[in-house]
Amino acid sequence: MAKNIIRYCRKCQQYTRQSYVGKIKEPEDHAFNCFATIATLGGYQIAKRIMDDRVKCYECSRCGRIAGDYPPV
């Protein structure tokens, strides 16, 4: 079940229902992840999940535009 919220769509110029589609994927170093996980006995993976600050993306139900939920600067 998708997470639906009411948000403003810049393309439609009105509030529409938008579905959560995931976070922006970033490249990561697989060898470093394996080494750090083994060296810290799994503590690295826990810290990595807690400190995750990737941008959440939502898709407009009316026009299909995918927009990121960027934090205010």
Side-chain angles (χ1 to χ4, degrees):
M1 180 176 204
K3 181 194 243 184
N4 294 320
I5 60 173
I6 304 296
R7 293 174 36 111
Y8 184 76
C9 178
R10 291 184 181 175
K11 187 174 180 184
C12 298
Q13 300 290 324
Q14 57 186 331
Y15 287 92
T16 59
R17 183 174 24 177
Q18 297 187 10
S19 302
Y20 176 73
V21 292
K23 294 186 177 185
I24 293 177
K25 297 194 186 252
E26 298 173 355
E28 56 184 43
D29 186 11
H30 182 70
F32 175 77
N33 285 345
C34 291
F35 173 74
T37 302
I38 293 169
T40 60
L41 300 175
Y44 173 74
Q45 290 294 325
I46 294 169
K48 183 178 170 186
R49 299 251 178 348
I50 291 172
M51 303 298 284
D52 188 18
D53 61 348
R54 294 181 295 166
V55 176
K56 295 179 180 178
C57 295
Y58 294 91
E59 180 180 12
C60 178
S61 62
R62 177 176 279 179
C63 67
R65 178 178 184 265
I66 296 177
D69 189 17
Y70 294 97
V73 177

